[in-house]
Amino acid sequence: MKKHFACVFFLIVFIRLSLFAQTIDPWKITATTINPSNYYGVTVANGMIGIVSSPEPFKVKDVVLAGAYDLYGRGRVSNFLRSFNLLNMYLDIDGKRVSATGVSNMKQELDMRHASFTTTFDYGDQASVTYTYYSLRHLPFTVLMDVNITAKKDITIMGSSVMEAPDALRDVENYYNEIDRPHVVISLLTSTAKSPTGKLLMCASNTFLFNEPHGQEPRVIHEMWDNNMHLMKFSRKIKGGETYSFSIAGTSITSAHHDDPLNEAERLTIYAKLEGRQRLIEHHQKAWDELWKSDIQIEGDPQSQQDVHSMLYHLYSFVREGTALSPSPMGLSGLGYNGHVFWDAELWMYPALLVMHPELAKSMMEYRYQRLEAAKRNAFANGFKGAMFPWESAASGAEETPVWALSGPFEHHITADVAIAAWNYYQVTQDKQWLREKGWPILQATADFWASRVERNGPGKYEIKDVVAADEWAENIDNNAFTNAAAKVNLQCATQAAKILGVAAEPDWMNVANNIPILKFDDGVTKEFATYTGEGIKQADVNLLAYPLKQITDQTQIKKDLAYYETRIPNEGTPAMTQGVFALLYARLGNADKAYHWFKEAYEPNLNPPFRVIAETKGGTNPYFATGAGGILQSVIMGFGGLDITPSGIQQVKSVLPSTWKSLTITGVGPQKKTFVVK
């Protein structure tokens, strides 16, 4: 009897687990409970424009445009600008405006495979509505929204495209134009405004795309409401059982991106109009199909698979080939951290992108290369040689950290982080021409910085004093483990690059590298800084010496440092990527159980509803934290997957899988687009 009961019990558990597995789509995140008071939007982006979802029908929370900054708001420094919200709509059915209070059965879904966001709902006994929007991957400044209305009985609809200027912009000007050709009529709703100081001209334009033959499309009417808002609208009768479809295509661009943004906004919108809905979607999907040739496939753990896809999707969404732009900690998910670029880009997001899509990583390195002269000016101003990259960087490459944050003048490890990223780009691509033209100038100037930055107090005591550590709770301390080790790696990489290129390395670089101290406690644990006595730490510091710096390679030492510092991370207030490093290191040590524990601990407590978006900290409310996603992806790719960036390219070292994972397949790796499988 007991045996029979046990069999029945395990059969029930198996069935439940099977049903659970079936409900988790690896590519789609679906929300059927939309609670506006506990709603954190998810982003559709193409590396240039980010569209953040809203719980309100026909609204988007934010439109975020990469590379557009001006001085306003936080800390007397440049900030990301909120752009014109060019996808907000009104829909009236039989004279009544559709709103959240009047809809039922609302569902929202992010399709990560093709980067689209769909909302569906019922509106009483009158209609069922579906709309989907895209930030078009093949057109950097262009977005599309597709609307389908199925009438349950005869109804009259009015659709309005609404253009409203954000509060921070000034000198708003609104335009409406109709271009009439024998084959088409194009209605253009356009707005321009100056950024808060007048530095930039912000422009947006959109148009309706109708499916009716030319001459039968609805008549479009323009209405000016006030200086900051205008709209264009149309009416249409729909018979019961009929589905009526239309689209809105639009462009957002600024003088930071184009010398003539007003005319270009309208030109690009006209281009989208005449391409037509079907071709726009086909080209967009084809571009995402290419991106997803570099994928991470987990067999046996459907929730982890969906979550890893979400992390990879967001990194792909926040970076674009050929832009010379680099992502902020929150990417294009909002205005968090003002859109500034930190070490989050080079140390946390960049390695996963470099392995999966080197061409995306190249854009991030181009961002730094184009700001190398600004980094040299920064070093000069601080009394050093070479180049000193700013802790917070925006458009110009000057220091953009608010003065009350001591990380600006003191968190110097960012300079080594940039240099190591440049060296890793060469290692993965083996592109000597790039190394000579762009990598070497970065490596040379940053090595010169560290040679001038150290204080030479005798053999083994070329000390780096008065810094903010990678653990940012440690301010104005001496001989920080990560800063010192990163400086050593920077100097070593510059020396290796010189040898490859056949140019003379500065002999003093290796002299300095060999004399920078890494401190230890009496029991052999690596000491975070000179006066460290075991305090709680904000984020990984010492453990980064094992990975990615590879300055500690002895497994006994790595285990000792992990055992000590994993107990120094408090339960709250620490960023997600720290636990990702613990997971990676335990995986490389062969401890699958501990690695999986830290993998889940890195992000599950940070998830916000309804789309499992990652916040920076446990219980945090500032998503999407792309930095954390980058760190966790490294735990999968370089930890469980065992991939490693070496002088001869990407290789697979020791790998281990969690007990619930049957296999891990990483496709499209590196320039050769290799596949690696772990079972």
Side-chain angles (χ1 to χ4, degrees), residues 501-559:
L501 295 173
V503 298
E506 173 57 56
D508 190 43
W509 291 347
M510 286 308 297
N511 168 50
V512 173
N514 292 333
N515 282 287
I516 294 175
I518 305 296
L519 307 180
K520 290 189 176 183
F521 287 109
D522 292 341
D523 63 0
V525 171
T526 305
K527 198 173 186 181
E528 191 183 271
F529 54 88
T531 54
Y532 181 71
T533 57
E535 301 91 332
I537 63 175
K538 177 183 176 183
Q539 58 206 49
D541 189 302
V542 163
N543 305 106
L544 300 175
L545 274 64
Y547 176 89
L549 298 184
K550 302 179 185 177
Q551 290 294 290
I552 295 177
T553 56
D554 178 71
Q555 291 201 359
T556 301
Q557 184 69 52
I558 294 170
K559 289 177 183 176

Coordinates of all heavy atoms in Angstrom, one line a residue, residues 501-559:
L501 N 52.3 44.4 -31.4 CA 52.4 45.4 -32.4 C 53.8 45.7 -32.8 O 54.0 46.5 -33.8 CB 51.7 46.7 -31.9 CG 50.2 46.5 -31.7 CD1 49.6 47.8 -31.1 CD2 49.4 46.2 -33.0
G502 N 54.8 45.2 -32.1 CA 56.2 45.5 -32.4 C 56.6 46.9 -32.1 O 57.4 47.5 -32.8
V503 N 56.0 47.5 -31.1 CA 56.3 48.9 -30.7 C 57.0 48.8 -29.3 O 56.8 47.8 -28.6 CB 55.1 49.8 -30.7 CG1 54.6 49.9 -32.1 CG2 54.1 49.3 -29.7
A504 N 57.6 49.8 -28.9 CA 58.4 49.8 -27.6 C 57.4 50.1 -26.5 O 56.7 51.1 -26.5 CB 59.5 50.8 -27.7
A505 N 57.3 49.1 -25.5 CA 56.6 49.4 -24.3 C 57.5 50.2 -23.4 O 58.7 50.1 -23.4 CB 56.2 48.1 -23.6
E506 N 56.8 51.0 -22.5 CA 57.6 51.7 -21.5 C 58.1 50.7 -20.5 O 57.3 50.0 -19.9 CB 56.6 52.7 -20.9 CG 57.2 53.5 -19.7 CD 58.5 54.2 -20.0 OE1 58.5 55.0 -20.9 OE2 59.5 53.9 -19.3
P507 N 59.4 50.6 -20.3 CA 59.9 49.6 -19.4 C 59.4 49.7 -17.9 O 59.3 48.8 -17.2 CB 61.5 49.8 -19.4 CG 61.7 50.5 -20.7 CD 60.5 51.3 -21.0
D508 N 59.1 51.0 -17.6 CA 58.6 51.2 -16.2 C 57.3 50.6 -16.0 O 56.9 50.4 -14.8 CB 58.6 52.7 -16.0 CG 58.3 53.1 -14.5 OD1 58.9 52.5 -13.7 OD2 57.5 54.0 -14.3
W509 N 56.5 50.3 -17.0 CA 55.2 49.7 -16.8 C 55.2 48.4 -16.0 O 54.5 48.2 -15.0 CB 54.4 49.5 -18.1 CG 54.0 50.7 -18.8 CD1 54.0 52.0 -18.4 CD2 53.6 50.8 -20.2 NE1 53.6 52.8 -19.3 CE2 53.3 52.1 -20.5 CE3 53.4 49.8 -21.2 CZ2 52.9 52.5 -21.7 CZ3 53.0 50.2 -22.4 CH2 52.7 51.6 -22.7
M510 N 56.1 47.5 -16.4 CA 56.2 46.2 -15.7 C 56.9 46.4 -14.3 O 56.6 45.6 -13.4 CB 56.9 45.2 -16.6 CG 56.0 44.6 -17.7 SD 54.4 44.0 -17.2 CE 54.8 42.7 -16.1
N511 N 57.8 47.3 -14.3 CA 58.4 47.6 -13.0 C 57.3 48.0 -12.0 O 57.3 47.5 -10.8 CB 59.4 48.7 -13.1 CG 59.9 49.3 -11.8 OD1 60.3 48.6 -10.9 ND2 59.8 50.6 -11.6
V512 N 56.4 48.9 -12.4 CA 55.3 49.3 -11.5 C 54.4 48.1 -11.2 O 54.0 47.9 -10.1 CB 54.5 50.5 -12.2 CG1 53.3 50.8 -11.4 CG2 55.4 51.7 -12.3
A513 N 54.0 47.4 -12.3 CA 53.1 46.3 -12.1 C 53.6 45.3 -11.0 O 52.9 44.8 -10.2 CB 52.8 45.6 -13.4
N514 N 54.9 45.0 -11.1 CA 55.5 44.0 -10.2 C 55.6 44.5 -8.8 O 55.9 43.7 -7.9 CB 56.9 43.6 -10.8 CG 56.7 42.8 -12.0 OD1 55.7 42.2 -12.3 ND2 57.8 42.9 -12.9
N515 N 55.4 45.8 -8.6 CA 55.6 46.3 -7.2 C 54.4 46.9 -6.6 O 54.4 47.4 -5.5 CB 56.7 47.4 -7.2 CG 58.1 46.9 -7.3 OD1 58.6 46.3 -6.3 ND2 58.7 46.9 -8.5
I516 N 53.2 46.7 -7.2 CA 51.9 47.1 -6.6 C 51.5 46.0 -5.6 O 51.4 44.9 -6.0 CB 50.9 47.3 -7.7 CG1 51.2 48.5 -8.6 CG2 49.5 47.6 -7.1 CD1 50.3 48.8 -9.7
P517 N 51.2 46.3 -4.4 CA 50.9 45.3 -3.4 C 49.5 44.9 -3.4 O 48.6 45.6 -3.7 CB 51.2 46.0 -2.1 CG 50.9 47.5 -2.4 CD 51.3 47.7 -3.8
I518 N 49.3 43.6 -3.1 CA 47.9 43.0 -2.8 C 48.0 42.5 -1.4 O 48.8 41.6 -1.1 CB 47.6 41.9 -3.8 CG1 47.6 42.3 -5.3 CG2 46.2 41.3 -3.5 CD1 46.7 43.4 -5.7
L519 N 47.3 43.2 -0.5 CA 47.4 42.9 0.9 C 46.7 41.7 1.4 O 45.7 41.3 0.8 CB 46.9 44.1 1.7 CG 47.6 45.5 1.3 CD1 47.0 46.6 2.1 CD2 49.1 45.5 1.4
K520 N 47.1 41.1 2.5 CA 46.5 39.9 3.1 C 46.4 40.1 4.6 O 47.2 40.8 5.2 CB 47.2 38.6 2.7 CG 47.2 38.3 1.3 CD 47.7 36.9 1.0 CE 47.5 36.4 -0.4 NZ 48.0 35.1 -0.7
F521 N 45.4 39.4 5.2 CA 45.3 39.2 6.6 C 46.3 38.2 7.0 O 46.9 37.5 6.2 CB 43.9 38.8 7.0 CG 42.8 39.8 6.9 CD1 41.8 39.7 5.9 CD2 42.7 40.9 7.8 CE1 40.8 40.6 5.8 CE2 41.7 41.8 7.7 CZ 40.7 41.7 6.7
D522 N 46.5 38.1 8.3 CA 47.4 37.1 8.9 C 47.1 35.7 8.5 O 48.0 34.9 8.4 CB 47.5 37.3 10.4 CG 48.2 38.6 10.8 OD1 48.9 39.2 10.0 OD2 48.0 39.0 12.0
D523 N 45.7 35.4 8.4 CA 45.3 34.1 8.0 C 45.4 33.8 6.6 O 44.9 32.7 6.1 CB 43.9 33.8 8.6 CG 42.9 34.7 8.0 OD1 43.2 35.5 7.1 OD2 41.7 34.5 8.4
G524 N 45.8 34.7 5.7 CA 46.0 34.5 4.3 C 44.8 35.0 3.5 O 44.9 35.0 2.2
V525 N 43.7 35.4 4.1 CA 42.6 36.0 3.3 C 43.0 37.3 2.7 O 43.7 38.1 3.3 CB 41.4 36.2 4.2 CG1 40.3 37.0 3.4 CG2 40.8 34.8 4.6
T526 N 42.7 37.5 1.4 CA 43.1 38.7 0.7 C 42.3 39.9 1.4 O 41.1 39.8 1.6 CB 42.7 38.7 -0.8 OG1 43.3 37.5 -1.3 CG2 43.1 39.9 -1.5
K527 N 43.0 41.0 1.7 CA 42.5 42.1 2.4 C 41.9 43.1 1.5 O 42.6 43.5 0.5 CB 43.6 42.7 3.3 CG 43.2 43.6 4.4 CD 44.4 43.9 5.3 CE 43.9 44.7 6.5 NZ 45.1 45.1 7.4
E528 N 40.7 43.6 1.7 CA 40.1 44.5 0.8 C 40.8 45.8 0.7 O 40.9 46.4 -0.4 CB 38.6 44.7 1.1 CG 37.9 45.5 0.0 CD 36.5 45.8 0.3 OE1 35.6 44.9 0.0 OE2 36.2 46.9 0.8
F529 N 41.3 46.4 1.7 CA 42.2 47.6 1.7 C 43.0 47.6 3.0 O 42.8 46.8 3.9 CB 41.3 48.8 1.5 CG 40.2 49.0 2.5 CD1 40.4 49.7 3.7 CD2 38.9 48.6 2.1 CE1 39.3 49.9 4.6 CE2 37.8 48.7 3.0 CZ 38.0 49.4 4.2
A530 N 43.9 48.6 3.1 CA 44.9 48.6 4.2 C 44.3 48.6 5.6 O 44.8 47.9 6.4 CB 45.8 49.8 4.0
T531 N 43.2 49.3 5.8 CA 42.6 49.4 7.1 C 41.3 48.6 7.3 O 40.6 48.8 8.2 CB 42.3 50.9 7.5 OG1 41.5 51.5 6.4 CG2 43.6 51.7 7.6
Y532 N 41.1 47.7 6.4 CA 39.9 46.9 6.4 C 39.9 45.9 7.6 O 40.9 45.2 7.8 CB 39.7 46.1 5.1 CG 38.4 45.3 5.0 CD1 37.2 45.8 4.9 CD2 38.5 43.9 5.1 CE1 36.0 45.1 4.9 CE2 37.4 43.1 5.1 CZ 36.1 43.7 5.0 OH 35.0 42.9 4.9
T533 N 38.8 45.8 8.3 CA 38.7 45.0 9.5 C 37.5 44.1 9.5 O 37.1 43.6 10.6 CB 38.7 45.8 10.8 OG1 37.6 46.7 10.8 CG2 40.0 46.6 11.0
G534 N 36.9 43.8 8.3 CA 35.8 42.9 8.3 C 34.4 43.5 8.2 O 33.4 42.8 8.4
E535 N 34.3 44.8 7.8 CA 33.0 45.4 7.7 C 32.2 44.8 6.6 O 32.8 44.2 5.7 CB 33.2 46.9 7.4 CG 34.0 47.7 8.5 CD 35.5 47.7 8.2 OE1 36.0 46.8 7.6 OE2 36.2 48.7 8.7
G536 N 30.9 45.1 6.6 CA 30.0 44.7 5.5 C 30.5 45.4 4.2 O 30.9 46.6 4.3
I537 N 30.3 44.8 3.1 CA 30.7 45.4 1.8 C 29.5 45.5 0.9 O 28.6 44.7 0.9 CB 31.8 44.6 1.1 CG1 31.3 43.1 0.7 CG2 33.0 44.5 2.0 CD1 32.3 42.3 -0.1
K538 N 29.5 46.6 0.1 CA 28.4 46.8 -0.8 C 28.3 45.8 -2.0 O 27.3 45.4 -2.4 CB 28.5 48.3 -1.4 CG 27.4 48.6 -2.4 CD 27.6 50.0 -3.0 CE 26.5 50.3 -4.0 NZ 26.7 51.6 -4.7
Q539 N 29.5 45.5 -2.5 CA 29.6 44.6 -3.6 C 30.9 44.0 -3.7 O 31.9 44.3 -3.0 CB 29.3 45.4 -4.9 CG 30.3 46.6 -5.1 CD 29.6 47.7 -6.0 OE1 28.5 48.1 -5.7 NE2 30.3 48.1 -7.0
A540 N 31.0 43.0 -4.7 CA 32.2 42.2 -4.8 C 33.4 43.1 -5.1 O 33.3 44.1 -5.8 CB 32.1 41.2 -6.0
D541 N 34.5 42.8 -4.5 CA 35.8 43.6 -4.7 C 36.9 42.6 -4.7 O 37.4 42.2 -5.8 CB 36.0 44.6 -3.5 CG 37.1 45.5 -3.8 OD1 38.3 45.1 -3.9 OD2 36.9 46.8 -3.8
V542 N 37.3 42.0 -3.6 CA 38.4 41.0 -3.6 C 38.2 39.9 -4.5 O 39.1 39.4 -5.2 CB 38.6 40.5 -2.1 CG1 39.4 39.2 -2.1 CG2 39.3 41.6 -1.3
N543 N 36.9 39.4 -4.5 CA 36.6 38.2 -5.3 C 36.8 38.4 -6.8 O 37.0 37.4 -7.6 CB 35.2 37.7 -5.0 CG 35.0 37.4 -3.5 OD1 34.3 38.2 -2.9 ND2 35.6 36.4 -3.0
L544 N 36.8 39.7 -7.2 CA 37.0 40.0 -8.6 C 38.5 39.7 -9.1 O 38.8 39.7 -10.2 CB 36.6 41.4 -8.9 CG 35.2 41.8 -8.7 CD1 35.0 43.3 -8.9 CD2 34.2 41.0 -9.6
L545 N 39.4 39.6 -8.1 CA 40.8 39.3 -8.4 C 40.9 37.9 -9.0 O 41.9 37.6 -9.8 CB 41.7 39.4 -7.2 CG 42.2 40.8 -6.9 CD1 41.1 41.8 -6.6 CD2 43.2 40.8 -5.8
A546 N 40.0 37.0 -8.7 CA 40.0 35.6 -9.3 C 39.4 35.7 -10.7 O 39.9 35.1 -11.6 CB 39.3 34.6 -8.4
Y547 N 38.3 36.4 -10.8 CA 37.6 36.6 -12.1 C 36.9 38.0 -12.0 O 36.3 38.3 -11.0 CB 36.5 35.5 -12.4 CG 35.8 35.9 -13.7 CD1 36.3 35.4 -14.9 CD2 34.7 36.7 -13.7 CE1 35.7 35.8 -16.1 CE2 34.1 37.1 -14.9 CZ 34.5 36.6 -16.1 OH 33.9 37.0 -17.2
P548 N 37.2 38.8 -13.0 CA 37.8 38.6 -14.3 C 39.3 38.9 -14.3 O 39.9 38.7 -15.4 CB 37.0 39.6 -15.2 CG 36.8 40.8 -14.3 CD 36.5 40.2 -12.9
L549 N 39.9 39.4 -13.2 CA 41.3 39.8 -13.3 C 42.3 38.7 -13.4 O 43.4 38.9 -13.9 CB 41.6 40.7 -12.1 CG 40.8 42.0 -12.0 CD1 41.2 42.9 -10.8 CD2 40.8 42.8 -13.3
K550 N 42.0 37.5 -12.9 CA 42.9 36.4 -13.0 C 44.2 36.6 -12.3 O 45.2 36.0 -12.6 CB 43.1 35.9 -14.4 CG 41.8 35.6 -15.2 CD 42.1 35.2 -16.6 CE 40.8 34.9 -17.4 NZ 41.1 34.6 -18.8
Q551 N 44.2 37.5 -11.3 CA 45.4 37.7 -10.5 C 45.5 36.7 -9.3 O 46.6 36.6 -8.8 CB 45.4 39.2 -10.0 CG 45.5 40.2 -11.0 CD 46.9 40.2 -11.7 OE1 47.9 40.5 -11.0 NE2 47.0 39.7 -12.9
I552 N 44.4 36.1 -9.0 CA 44.5 35.0 -8.0 C 44.0 33.8 -8.7 O 42.8 33.7 -9.2 CB 43.6 35.3 -6.8 CG1 44.1 36.5 -6.0 CG2 43.5 34.1 -5.9 CD1 43.3 36.9 -4.8
T553 N 44.8 32.8 -8.9 CA 44.5 31.6 -9.6 C 44.5 30.3 -8.7 O 44.0 29.3 -9.2 CB 45.5 31.4 -10.8 OG1 46.9 31.4 -10.2 CG2 45.4 32.5 -11.8
D554 N 45.1 30.4 -7.6 CA 45.2 29.2 -6.7 C 43.8 28.9 -6.1 O 43.2 29.8 -5.5 CB 46.2 29.5 -5.5 CG 46.2 28.3 -4.6 OD1 46.8 27.3 -4.9 OD2 45.7 28.5 -3.4
Q555 N 43.3 27.7 -6.3 CA 41.9 27.4 -5.9 C 41.7 27.5 -4.4 O 40.6 27.9 -4.0 CB 41.5 26.0 -6.4 CG 41.4 25.9 -8.0 CD 40.5 24.8 -8.4 OE1 40.1 24.0 -7.6 NE2 40.3 24.7 -9.7
T556 N 42.7 27.1 -3.7 CA 42.6 27.2 -2.2 C 42.4 28.7 -1.8 O 41.6 29.0 -0.9 CB 43.8 26.6 -1.5 OG1 44.0 25.3 -1.9 CG2 43.7 26.7 0.0
Q557 N 43.2 29.6 -2.4 CA 43.0 31.0 -2.1 C 41.7 31.5 -2.5 O 41.0 32.3 -1.8 CB 44.1 31.8 -2.8 CG 44.1 33.3 -2.5 CD 44.5 33.6 -1.0 OE1 45.6 33.1 -0.6 NE2 43.7 34.3 -0.3
I558 N 41.2 31.1 -3.7 CA 39.9 31.5 -4.2 C 38.8 31.1 -3.2 O 37.9 31.9 -2.9 CB 39.6 31.0 -5.6 CG1 40.6 31.6 -6.6 CG2 38.2 31.3 -6.1 CD1 40.6 30.9 -8.0
K559 N 38.8 29.8 -2.8 CA 37.8 29.3 -1.8 C 37.9 30.1 -0.5 O 36.9 30.4 0.1 CB 38.1 27.8 -1.6 CG 37.7 26.9 -2.7 CD 38.1 25.5 -2.4 CE 37.8 24.6 -3.6 NZ 38.3 23.2 -3.3

